[in-house]
Amino acid sequence: MGAEADKRCIVFLGPPGSGKGTQAEILAAEMEIPTISTGEMLRAAVSAGSELGERVEAVMASGALVDDDLMAEVVQARLEHDDTDGGFFLDGYPRTEIQAAHLDRILGEVGGRLGGVLFVTVPEEELVRRALARGRGDDRSEVIHERLRVYREQTAPLVAHYDSRGLLHRVAGHQAIEEVTDEIRRIVGALAA
Ligand code: ADP
């Protein structure tokens, strides 16, 4: 780790189907930093049939959230890898107020810092339409509605939380992918300045 290293975390926050994962991937490839997606890590664990996968499979399939303490372990272990030392995106974490507190602690322990939170907004009817079109295993109609409900109840409060800390940046997600990327690129560029 050189003197220039800045383990800056940029969080992508938004409802399921907002396209935050897609955007994080695009920008991460451009900036040559990793995107850490908790949803992808958990799905990989389920596919691999690991102990973690067995613990989370049923919860994920129902649209509910995996336990906060278990998530903190998963995220901390991942952020200890030195591929995050030059900065990284976090997609899908934190998702609850407790997880936001856990993230602050984890970043302190791994020598990282929270650089900003990108909140990708999309109207709810568009979210449902996108989710049904995507057709992933946990994208059945009842599960989609459950995931949106869980989002409104547990994750949406993080918007005010990060806004009050001066970290929140709103991004209009209901535009062409490239336009959303342009908007995020401008925000991330201004953060670095
Ligand atoms: P999306 O991008 O569609 O919002 P994800 O791929 O991020 O969905 O997550 C899929 C599922 O994985 C969630 O519904 C939840 O069960 C589990 N999960 C992912 N991240 C977290 C988290 N931070 N806390 C708890 N559960 C999580």
Side-chain angles (χ1 to χ4, degrees):
M1 191 161 99
E4 303 289 304
D6 177 10
K7 199 170 173 112
R8 177 180 70 172
C9 172
I10 295 178
V11 168
F12 281 70
L13 178 66
S18 59
K20 60 186 170 17
T22 303
Q23 293 295 333
E25 286 296 341
I26 294 171
L27 261 299
E30 225 175 85
M31 295 171 65
E32 299 182 10
I33 59 173
T35 288
I36 293 157
S37 159
T38 48
E40 271 177 30
M41 286 173 74
L42 297 176
R43 278 190 291 280
V46 170
S47 305
S50 68
E51 194 196 325
L52 172 65
E54 284 180 13
R55 283 172 74 181
V56 302
E57 186 167 14
V59 176
M60 288 178 74
S62 74
L65 295 181
V66 172
D67 173 77
D68 289 329
D69 289 328
L70 179 56
M71 288 310 300
E73 275 175 43
V74 169
V75 170
Q76 176 145 6
R78 180 64 186 85
L79 298 191
E80 281 166 0
H81 281 247
D82 63 7
D83 66 334
T84 58
D85 284 354
F88 62 96
F89 291 144
L90 200 48
D91 162 32
Y93 191 90
R95 256 178 157 92
T96 67
E97 302 240 40
I98 292 170
Q99 292 184 8
H102 285 165
L103 178 61
D104 289 335
R105 174 183 56 74
I106 292 167
L107 287 174
E109 287 177 17
V110 303
R113 68 177 180 101
L114 189 51
V117 176
L118 300 167
F119 173 43
V120 184
T121 64
V122 172
E124 183 148 334
E125 60 276 16
E126 171 68 8
L127 297 175
V128 174
R129 204 188 57 74
R130 288 182 182 183
L132 288 169
R134 184 166 67 171
R136 204 171 65 200
D138 56 354
D139 279 346
R140 282 178 302 116
S141 173
E142 319 84 81
V143 178
I144 292 165
H145 285 98
E146 175 61 9
R147 293 168 80 229
L148 286 170
R149 193 187 64 73
V150 168
Y151 170 80
R152 276 197 302 271
E153 205 171 280
Q154 306 201 51
T155 309
L158 294 180
V159 172
H161 169 102
Y162 285 122
D163 204 12
S164 74
R165 291 171 64 181
L167 288 165
L168 196 81
H169 301 271
R170 287 186 168 74
V171 177
H174 199 13
Q175 326 175 58
I177 289 181
E178 307 76 54
E179 287 171 45
V180 181
T181 308
D182 287 345
E183 205 174 316
I184 295 176
R185 194 185 291 111
R186 273 196 303 277
I187 296 169
V188 173
L191 284 182

